[in-house]
Amino acid sequence: MATIHQNLSEYDESKLPSGEKMRIGIIVADWNPEVTYALYQGCYDTLIKHGLKEKNIRTFQVPGSFELVAGAKLMLNKWNYVHAVICLGCVIKGETSHNEYINHAVANGLIQLSLDKNVPCIFGVLTPNDQQQALDRAGGKHGNKGVEAAVTAIRMAALKNLPELNQYK
Ligand code: DLZ
């Protein structure tokens, strides 16, 4: 959707299935908190806006993005009936290639966990070159990746549980 609209917060609200009966987990990384908490706010508000009940949204905080996959697995083991898990983080490119190791580990870990557990685990991780690029995508000029992650989670949860409601085009 971001590629269609060029803004991470833009989507067609009228075509999104209701989240009224959904249970969704959010894992948020503490590194770069001014970015990740803005992602969290956008994500949480979007879930509520589309009908999720507060009691059906659970949040785990983890130290850094590298811990997102383990956090998601802990959430899935503890909360059996979750329909989707959203992972939010921000890995800023530095002088070394640490960012590449973290980003690949999280992307690979989340797709593996999604397939193993048969629960969509959403990659809501920003991979910017600098902090400004991150802020631009955490409620700035390019929207909020947390909103995009919430919309993706609702669509994937509906696809699994209520595919007839998923008429998004
Ligand atoms: C160590 C590290 C560095 C250098 N940079 C980031 C970052 O930009 N974003 C992020 O989410 N986490 C970072 N981390 C921490 C790692 O994700 C992880 O928490 C530690 O390596 C401990 O496993």
Side-chain angles (χ1 to χ4, degrees), residues 8-28:
L8 294 160
S9 297
E10 284 182 17
Y11 60 99
D12 187 343
E13 291 178 23
S14 67
K15 290 187 176 157
L16 199 63
S18 169
E20 200 184 339
K21 294 184 177 159
M22 293 178 183
R23 291 175 295 273
I24 291 183
I26 306 174
I27 318 295
V28 57

Side-chain angles (χ1 to χ4, degrees), residues 29-32 36 63-67 89-93 98 102:
D30 286 339
W31 262 77
N32 302 308
T36 60
S65 293
F66 191 75
E67 285 73 41
C90 171
V91 186
I92 299 178
K93 192 170 163 45
H98 77 277
I102 297 174

Side-chain angles (χ1 to χ4, degrees), residues 7-22 24 26 40-54 57 86 144 146-148 150-151 154:
N7 186 302
L8 294 160
S9 297
E10 284 182 17
Y11 60 99
D12 187 343
E13 291 178 23
S14 67
K15 290 187 176 157
L16 199 63
S18 169
E20 200 184 339
K21 294 184 177 159
M22 293 178 183
I24 291 183
I26 306 174
Y40 179 77
Q41 202 61 57
C43 179
Y44 188 89
D45 291 350
T46 303
L47 295 179
I48 295 289
K49 183 175 171 181
H50 288 284
L52 271 98
K53 299 183 175 71
E54 281 183 28
I57 304 172
I86 299 165
N144 190 323
V147 173
E148 185 205 49
V151 171
I154 290 172

Side-chain angles (χ1 to χ4, degrees), residues 23 75-83 119:
R23 291 175 295 273
M75 167 99 46
L76 288 170
N77 287 341
K78 208 176 170 70
W79 196 24
N80 290 333
Y81 302 107
V82 68
H83 294 112
V119 175

Side-chain angles (χ1 to χ4, degrees), residues 2 19 24 35 41 45 50 57 62 67 73 86 91 100 108 112-114 119 122 124 126 133 136 141 145 156 159 161:
I24 291 183
V35 175
Q41 202 61 57
D45 291 350
H50 288 284
I57 304 172
V62 294
E67 285 73 41
K73 188 165 184 179
I86 299 165
V91 186
E100 292 174 25
N108 291 335
Q112 195 183 319
L113 189 61
S114 300
V119 175
I122 311 304
L126 289 173
Q133 285 187 351
D136 289 346
K141 67 180 180 186
K145 190 160 182 72
M156 291 304 291
L159 191 62
N161 297 284

Side-chain angles (χ1 to χ4, degrees), residues 4 15 33 123 129:
I4 298 169
K15 290 187 176 157
F123 184 85
N129 292 319

